[in-house]
Amino acid sequence: MSTSVLELQHINKEFGHGHTAVTALADANFRVNAGEFVAIIGPSGSGKSTFLTIAAGLQTPTSGKVLLNGQALTQQSEKQRLAYRFNEIGFILQSSNLIPFLTVTEQFKLVDKMARRTFQKSATLKLLDELALSDVKDAYPNELSGGERQRVAIARALYNNPSVILADEPTASLDTPRSIDVVKRLADEAHHHNKAIVMVTHDQRLISNCDVVYRIEDGKMTRTD
Amino acid sequence: MYLGLKEMWHEKLRYSLLSGVLLLIALVVFMLAGLANGLSNGNRQAVDQWHATTVYLNKNANQTLSASQLTLADKKHIDGNTVAPLSNLSGTLRTSTNHLKTTASAFGTSRNSFLMPTVISGHKINGKNQLLISATLKDKGYHVGQKVRIGTTKRTVKIVGTYASSTYSIAPTVYTDTSTLNRLKDSPITTGKQQPINAFVTKKSQFKTAHHGNLQRLSIATFIENLPGYSAEQLTLNTMIYFLFVIALAVIGIFMFVLTLQKQALFGVLKVQGIGTSHIIAALLSQSVVMALIGIGLGLAITVGLAQIMPAGLPFVINWQAFGIYSLALLGAAVVGALLSWRTVAKIDPVVAIG
Ligand SMILES: Nc1ncnc2c1ncn2[C@@H]1O[C@H](COP(=O)(O)OP(=O)(O)OP(=O)(O)O)[C@@H](O)[C@H]1O
Ligand SMILES: [Mg+2]
């Protein structure tokens, strides 16, 4: 049996104490393998974002375990969690993923600066080409369309060669054709480049490309293959 | 670095504004420093040119040269190979026709004393009623061969030589011998050991015995501190300069803080991507240091430029050492100002950026 790239076991997350406590996640179990495109779907307030932030090491669960490539991430220092996010996770947000004062190419240069390595120009150009962004490589984020921005965010998330890509409603600001395009590209990355990709959405129409779907309601997760 | 500088480049107007404010602060600091230095020079230049270490005054003189009454005979209390007597008279230097009139500080000392300035034109004092004038007075039209009076006396002295520019109490200096100065002061005794003088100045010395009569020993630094008006003037100007550092710190601190508040969402996204507080602070630091360097650099350039076109009467003298220290202080203010946002940056929660 191959180990999952990312696995969450018996995750509970509560906010607040006593009778005002909110249970955002209740005994959630989850796993994703390399080459898999997983969707998490559920209504607003069901705990989707909470789940992703725990997977990304942005919050610690009240109880339960997060395993990356079989290694537990609980009990890590803030610094280790930063390094974990930088090296292992590619995060794609609803919008405003990009740094407004950097051009498309410079967004990638920044990653290399932070990693203290020289700018990998050919890797950047190849990635931009794959995502049909070559024409806008010197544009600033505010000069791009919403779809272009999300594709840059995907490229940016892939650039550091992370173990997992976590996408929180990456298509929320897009119209349907563009949403379908972005989701297809994510599926491509999973299937052709052997990435583990997790996408949160509440749009039923976007999950046809996904290999596994987790439904979440009131913090309870159920898996359908 | 990269992040900070790229942002500045993209937001040139915003950051030039702060650079501009820092430039103005730096300019005022340098102008005040130049004035403080000019005034300080005007007060003490002659004293610095003595290259002396110690001054002996009358112990009842409240450490002030003009109030100190001694006689040449008091030298017997002091042990040292270069002990020079010093008398001082402040008054109007007038030509006999009243054609030229300037306030001057006259010093009297022995003819071969180390206090006597080096003559650059004319000759040394070699007889009675001779006077050396500083280059400053030469520029005003006084010249060798002229007969002049000092103060209210009717007695005249003859200018026999000039020396490098020198001032004391914001007035150009003249030098003569002790007895000529006593004559100019209309003093009853103008010869011998009982002649009045104001002080002894030495390069190295000590009191011969524990009982040294009416003398008080002062280091040259203490003597300068007690020049009339000197400390008050320097303190006033320096206090203004120190306040400007506080203002610079506040301006930078507030500016960086407001920008940090505006960029909370962006910093949250950076943290989501694994770019932490220390990188963000480094970006803020590089921005505030670059702005400070631009402001200080332009401030220095403008100060040097203004110094060229300043009216001659303004006591403004560039002092690179002071300018260097004040530049570093402003740079320090920029660093501290940026660091004031540290807590705010550290508290930004990346989870909020996602939600
Ligand atoms: N920091 C917090 N403090 C208190 N309650 C919180 C906090 N974060 C989330 N919650 C609660 O946890 C529950 C799950 O929130 P979450 O943001 O995960 O929902 P979601 O599925 O992402 O919703 P949406 O589709 O609207 O983004 C909600 O009831 C929310 O109010
Ligand atoms: Mg959400």
Side-chain angles (χ1 to χ4, degrees):
Chain A
M1 187 194 112
S2 72
T3 52
S4 304
V5 174
L6 178 69
E7 188 166 357
L8 283 82
Q9 298 172 345
H10 307 296
I11 298 286
N12 286 291
K13 181 70 183 176
E14 275 184 26
F15 292 106
H17 301 282
H19 60 273
T20 59
V22 178
T23 305
L25 290 172
D27 196 30
N29 289 292
F30 174 90
R31 62 172 200 278
V32 59
N33 296 329
E36 250 178 6
F37 185 23
V38 177
I40 297 176
I41 192 162
S44 182
S46 56
K48 305 183 296 293
S49 294
T50 306
F51 175 83
L52 276 198
T53 55
I54 289 172
L58 289 168
Q59 300 195 77
T60 46
T62 310
S63 67
K65 251 187 181 172
V66 180
L67 301 166
L68 186 85
N69 298 317
Q71 297 250 304
L73 328 169
T74 27
Q75 307 299 324
Q76 281 191 327
S77 70
E78 176 60 29
K79 213 176 156 185
Q80 286 169 313
R81 289 199 280 156
L82 270 174
Y84 166 73
R85 291 205 293 277
F86 187 76
N87 295 312
E88 308 292 352
I89 305 282
F91 220 111
I92 303 168
L93 306 174
Q94 270 187 21
S95 60
S96 71
N97 284 290
L98 304 177
I99 295 157
F101 48 83
L102 296 183
T103 65
V104 170
T105 317
E106 286 166 350
Q107 310 274 338
F108 299 88
K109 220 180 219 172
L110 175 68
V111 177
D112 288 327
K113 293 270 178 198
M114 292 299 149
R116 295 177 192 281
R117 61 183 177 228
T118 51
F119 176 46
Q120 298 170 312
K121 193 169 180 190
S122 57
T124 302
L125 293 180
K126 185 166 166 273
L127 206 49
L128 291 177
D129 186 47
E130 269 174 42
L131 289 158
L133 290 164
S134 297
D135 293 344
V136 296
K137 66 180 167 39
D138 294 320
Y140 285 98
N142 65 355
E143 298 162 350
L144 302 177
S145 74
E148 284 167 337
R149 267 198 288 261
Q150 284 312 71
R151 295 204 309 269
V152 175
I154 294 171
R156 159 73 181 74
L158 287 166
Y159 185 62
N160 216 14
N161 202 19
S163 303
V164 196
I165 292 205
L166 303 174
D168 192 358
E169 305 202 42
T171 61
S173 57
L174 304 179
D175 57 22
T176 310
R178 281 166 201 265
S179 300
I180 290 168
D181 175 60
V182 163
V183 171
K184 278 212 172 100
R185 289 181 191 277
L186 285 172
D188 259 15
E189 290 301 328
H191 300 144
H192 298 130
H193 295 100
N194 207 36
K195 294 278 165 205
I197 299 186
V198 183
M199 174 180 73
V200 160
T201 181
H202 53 233
D203 192 342
Q204 200 71 38
R205 289 167 301 175
L206 296 176
I207 60 176
S208 54
N209 289 297
C210 297
D211 309 306
V212 182
V213 176
Y214 282 87
R215 289 183 194 278
I216 184 166
E217 202 141 347
D218 290 334
K220 294 192 185 66
M221 277 178 112
T222 46
R223 179 181 168 113
T224 31
D225 281 270
Chain B
M1 264 306 253
Y2 184 74
L3 204 55
L5 299 186
K6 277 289 173 186
E7 181 180 17
M8 286 180 83
W9 188 244
H10 197 246
E11 302 274 349
K12 286 183 223 49
L13 178 67
R14 179 182 285 188
Y15 289 95
S16 336
L17 280 176
L18 181 59
S19 253
V21 173
L22 291 179
L23 181 155
L24 291 176
I25 293 175
L27 188 60
V28 177
V29 165
F30 294 139
M31 295 305 285
L32 286 175
L35 285 174
N37 189 44
L39 283 171
S40 160
N41 247 335
N43 273 309
R44 62 185 279 180
Q45 195 179 27
V47 180
D48 291 335
Q49 286 165 349
W50 295 340
H51 298 293
T53 59
T54 316
V55 177
Y56 292 89
L57 297 180
N58 186 306
K59 70 179 175 199
N60 298 318
N62 198 20
Q63 311 191 332
T64 324
L65 180 67
S66 56
S68 169
Q69 301 290 337
L70 302 172
T71 64
L72 278 176
D74 289 317
K75 191 180 170 189
K76 64 177 186 277
H77 298 297
I78 305 163
D79 187 16
N81 37 21
T82 48
V83 182
L86 182 74
S87 325
N88 174 235
L89 167 66
S90 179
T92 311
L93 187 70
R94 301 173 282 143
T95 53
S96 43
T97 57
N98 265 351
H99 177 57
L100 289 170
K101 265 189 187 171
T102 311
T103 305
S105 292
F107 286 117
T109 184
S110 51
R111 284 183 197 168
N112 53 0
S113 134
F114 75 94
L115 297 180
M116 269 300 175
T118 313
V119 171
I120 51 179
S121 74
H123 63 80
K124 289 185 176 184
I125 289 173
N126 55 16
K128 277 186 180 175
N129 299 327
Q130 297 187 353
L131 188 72
L132 300 177
I133 61 166
S134 81
T136 328
L137 290 167
K138 195 183 166 199
D139 294 342
K140 290 196 175 172
Y142 296 90
H143 56 81
V144 171
Q146 230 168 12
K147 295 223 164 173
V148 291
R149 293 173 184 166
I150 300 171
T152 49
T153 179
K154 294 222 160 20
R155 297 171 204 270
T156 60
V157 286
K158 188 174 156 197
I159 298 171
V160 297
T162 68
Y163 55 88
S165 143
S166 157
T167 53
Y168 177 83
S169 278
I170 321 283
T173 61
V174 299
Y175 280 81
T176 182
D177 59 44
T178 304
S179 59
T180 304
L181 195 84
N182 276 330
R183 224 167 287 132
L184 288 171
K185 277 183 172 176
D186 289 322
S187 140
I189 310 167
T190 57
T191 53
K193 286 276 179 204
Q194 291 311 312
Q195 283 187 80
I197 57 160
N198 297 108
F200 291 102
V201 181
T202 78
K203 294 210 178 207
K204 198 168 181 219
S205 67
Q206 61 198 51
F207 284 121
K208 274 178 181 160
T209 58
H211 303 285
H212 38 261
N214 53 350
L215 290 187
Q216 183 187 15
R217 190 169 187 260
L218 264 65
S219 72
I220 206 80
T222 313
F223 177 72
I224 288 171
E225 284 300 303
N226 285 289
L227 293 179
Y230 180 84
S231 297
E233 239 166 53
Q234 294 296 309
L235 194 65
T236 307
L237 291 168
N238 286 335
T239 307
M240 288 162 83
I241 291 173
Y242 301 149
F243 267 114
L244 283 167
F245 294 143
V246 177
I247 291 172
L249 178 68
V251 167
I252 297 166
I254 292 169
F255 185 90
M256 295 313 276
F257 181 69
V258 169
L259 284 191
T260 302
L261 290 183
Q262 282 180 4
K263 291 187 288 189
Q264 287 200 63
L266 170 66
F267 292 164
V269 171
L270 288 175
K271 287 185 171 190
V272 169
Q273 295 174 346
I275 296 170
T277 303
S278 55
H279 280 117
I280 295 170
I281 291 290
L284 296 183
L285 267 180
S286 60
Q287 290 174 344
S288 89
V289 165
V290 167
M291 285 184 291
L293 285 177
I294 293 173
I296 293 166
L298 290 178
L300 270 180
I302 294 174
T303 305
V304 171
L306 284 177
Q308 311 303 314
I309 57 167
M310 243 173 238
L314 208 61
F316 185 91
V317 178
I318 288 173
N319 175 347
W320 288 110
Q321 194 193 338
F323 282 18
I325 292 168
Y326 293 155
S327 302
L328 286 181
L330 286 172
L331 205 57
V335 169
V336 175
L339 291 180
L340 290 180
S341 291
W342 189 306
R343 269 177 61 83
T344 315
V345 172
K347 280 202 305 205
I348 292 171
D349 185 355
V351 177
V352 177
I354 294 175

